[in-house]
Amino acid sequence: RKEVEQDPGPFNVPEGATVAFNCTYSNSASQSFFWYRQDCRKEPKLLMSVYSSGNEDGRFTAQLNRASQYISLLIRDSKLSDSATYLCVVPASGGSYIPTFGRGTSLIVHP
Amino acid sequence: DAGVTQSPTHLIKTRGQQVTLRCSPKSGHDTVSWYQQALGQGPQFIFQYYEEEERQRGNFPDRFSGHQFPNYSSELNVNALLLGDSALYLCASSQDRVEAFFGQGTRLTVV
C-alpha cells in the first residue's frame, strides 16, 4: 500500500456545489496531517492542518478518521477560484517527520 | 517578511551537465527540504537539511546532493543530468517539524 493515496480526479463541479476529497494513509502512527493547494505551475500552499479529529476554516472542513486511516477535505459553496489541485500530506513512516505527498486531486469548478 | 525564495526560476540544461539550485528559507526557519515534482505527480521528497547536515534522504540516486549553509540557505546539486530529471524542483522550509512553506520552485528542463 502506498504511504499516501488520493483519487487524482478531476472532480468537475458547478459553482455552489459541495465537494469532498479523501486521502488514505498507511502510517498508523501519524499524528499530523495537512492539506495543500497547488495552482497550475505554482508551488503548493498550505491550506489546512489536521492534528486531532478535524479542523474548519470558513468553507473548508478537514476531518480525520484514525480507525480507517483517512483524512477528508470538504469544500462548501464552491467558487471558480477553488479550481486547483489539492495535495494531502502525512508524515512518512519510520519516525522522522518527512512530509509525504499524495499525487493530488484535481478540482475544476465551472460556472 | 520574505518567504521561501528559490533561484533560478527556470533553467535549461543539456544531458550530462551539472546544475545547482538555490534556496533561502523563510525567516526563522532552520530546516530545508527539497522535492522533485514531475508533471501530474505530487512532490517527491529528495532530502532534508538541518544544522548543515543531511537529516533524511528519499529514494534518489547519489547524483543528487545538497548542502546547507550556516545562514540556513541551501543548495541542491544534480550531476550527470538525465532527460528524466526534468521537473519542478521545490524547496520547503520549516521550523520544529511543523508546517512546511514552499518556494515558487525552479523549473528544470534537460534537453
Side-chain angles (χ1 to χ4, degrees):
Chain A
R1 183 181 183 181
K2 286 186 178 178
E3 296 220 45
V4 186
E5 292 198 71
Q6 292 184 256
D7 179 349
F11 285 64
N12 204 320
V13 303
E15 271 186 292
T18 295
V19 62
F21 315 131
N22 280 346
C23 167
T24 58
Y25 61 92
S26 61
N27 180 12
S28 59
S30 296
Q31 296 293 317
S32 53
F33 307 85
F34 305 93
W35 283 102
Y36 280 76
R37 171 196 167 125
Q38 186 172 28
D39 293 293
C40 187
R41 303 181 75 83
K42 299 285 189 180
E43 75 274 20
K45 292 186 178 177
L46 181 65
L47 179 66
M48 297 187 75
S49 310
V50 187
Y51 291 106
S52 55
S53 59
N55 191 8
E56 184 171 329
D57 182 6
R59 299 183 294 110
F60 297 82
T61 300
Q63 292 195 316
L64 168 62
N65 185 315
R66 289 192 185 275
S68 301
Q69 292 184 213
Y70 74 84
I71 61 173
S72 63
L73 178 68
L74 180 78
I75 305 175
R76 291 180 295 276
D77 188 23
S78 299
K79 311 291 184 190
L80 295 177
S81 58
D82 293 334
S83 298
T85 296
Y86 292 83
L87 297 159
C88 168
V89 181
V90 306
S93 55
S96 299
Y97 177 77
I98 300 297
T100 300
F101 285 77
R103 64 174 294 183
T105 297
S106 176
L107 171 66
I108 301 170
V109 182
H110 58 83
Chain B
D1 173 29
V4 182
T5 57
Q6 290 186 245
S7 63
T9 55
H10 295 82
L11 203 52
I12 299 176
K13 288 286 191 178
T14 304
R15 275 180 299 175
Q17 284 189 312
Q18 178 265 347
V19 68
T20 297
L21 310 181
R22 295 176 176 82
C23 172
S24 292
K26 185 176 168 64
S27 177
H29 287 184
D30 59 5
T31 301
V32 173
S33 302
W34 286 92
Y35 290 81
Q36 180 195 68
Q37 187 175 26
L39 203 60
Q41 300 297 317
Q44 298 296 308
F45 174 73
I46 302 175
F47 41 54
Q48 184 181 81
Y49 276 86
Y50 172 71
E51 293 188 341
E52 301 180 50
E53 294 206 355
E54 184 183 288
R55 178 159 68 179
Q56 193 92 2
R57 188 178 183 92
N59 189 25
F60 278 80
D62 292 343
R63 298 186 297 111
F64 289 76
S65 63
H67 189 79
Q68 186 179 34
F69 299 95
N71 66 353
Y72 307 121
S73 66
S74 177
E75 288 182 350
L76 164 66
N77 300 293
V78 187
N79 293 324
L81 284 166
L82 304 173
L83 295 179
D85 295 331
S86 296
L88 178 68
Y89 287 84
L90 294 161
C91 168
S93 75
S94 58
Q95 177 72 25
D96 294 334
R97 299 183 174 184
V98 193
E99 296 92 337
F101 292 84
F102 285 84
Q104 81 282 8
T106 294
R107 191 163 297 280
L108 173 65
T109 302
V110 182
V111 298

